[in-house]
């Protein structure tokens, strides 16, 4: 069985997910035949946005919430509502960040699908709930038979 363990944004970009390391070691220990890969997708996003724009603690800078960016992708019909209250310069930054995040999601989804995993495990801490749901929905639409497990402190 091929398993991918994934830590989504907005984890702190300057340290790896200890949870992925512990869980992957546990899975390999209980069943050595499991192929387990760990992905720290938040690092891809932090690199693409730039660490100054990434934030890393559930917020996307002080002017655009990371949750709102992913929620606007999860609920595209309500995308404009997530921009309410932003100044024109903040709206521009939001739109640019949203485009970068959407591109990163597409690239990452293709990578995951290409590896033909049976199970995806997504970390869900407070800062990762919306991002993990957004990715899970995207993957399910592309590969309906894949099993997805969400777990964590949320």
């Amino acid at each position: 069985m091929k398993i991918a363990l994934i830590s989504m944004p907005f984890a702190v970009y300057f340290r790896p997910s200890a949870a992925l390391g512990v869980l992957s070691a546990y899975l390999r220990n209980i069943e050595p035949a499991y192929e387990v890969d760990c992905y720290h997708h938040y690092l891809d996003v932090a690199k693409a946005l730039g660490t100054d724009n990434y934030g890393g603690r559930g917020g996307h800078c002080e002017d655009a919430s990371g949750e709102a960016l992913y929620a606007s992708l999860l609920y595209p019909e309500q995308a404009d509502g997530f921009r309410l209250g932003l100044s024109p310069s903040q709206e521009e930054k939001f739109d640019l960040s949203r485009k970068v995040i959407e591109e990163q999601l597409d690239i990452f989804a293709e990578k995951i699908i290409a590896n033909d995993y049976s199970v995806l495990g997504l970390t869900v801490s407070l800062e990762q709930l919306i991002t993990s749901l957004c990715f899970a929905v995207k993957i399910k639409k592309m590969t309906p038979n894949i099993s997805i497990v969400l777990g964590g402190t949320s």
Side-chain angles (χ1 to χ4, degrees):
M1 178 184 313
K2 289 182 72 173
I3 302 169
L5 301 176
I6 301 167
S7 184
M8 294 292 290
F10 278 89
V12 179
Y13 69 86
F14 51 82
R15 71 174 172 244
S17 169
L20 294 190
V22 169
L23 186 54
S24 65
Y26 173 77
L27 290 170
R28 289 181 185 114
N29 187 49
I30 63 167
E31 182 52 65
Y34 287 167
E35 292 181 48
V36 182
D37 296 320
C38 295
Y39 294 93
H40 298 86
H41 181 58
Y42 60 91
L43 295 176
D44 300 329
V45 173
K47 182 178 179 182
L49 290 174
T51 55
D52 288 344
N53 291 325
Y54 175 77
R57 277 240 165 260
H60 185 276
C61 288
E62 56 282 345
D63 58 7
S65 165
E67 282 190 340
L69 288 164
Y70 279 88
S72 72
L73 296 172
L74 186 59
Y75 303 105
E77 68 283 359
Q78 298 177 23
D80 287 343
F82 294 105
R83 300 166 77 239
L84 291 176
L86 298 177
S87 70
S89 66
Q90 291 170 327
E91 284 185 357
E92 184 179 335
K93 185 174 185 175
F94 183 92
D95 293 342
L96 178 61
S97 296
R98 186 179 186 273
K99 182 179 181 204
V100 169
I101 286 171
E102 188 170 27
E103 290 170 356
Q104 289 298 309
L105 274 176
D106 290 343
I107 291 167
F108 188 53
E110 291 299 328
K111 182 178 185 176
I112 293 300
I113 290 168
N115 280 291
D116 197 31
Y117 291 105
S118 305
V119 178
L120 299 185
L122 297 164
T123 57
V124 183
S125 66
L126 184 59
E127 299 90 358
Q128 298 170 308
L129 178 60
I130 300 298
T131 62
S132 292
L133 287 174
C134 184
F135 189 68
V137 168
K138 182 174 196 60
I139 289 291
K140 267 301 199 186
K141 286 179 181 175
M142 298 169 82
T143 56
N145 294 328
I146 197 165
S147 295
I148 299 177
V149 179
L150 285 79
T153 58
S154 283

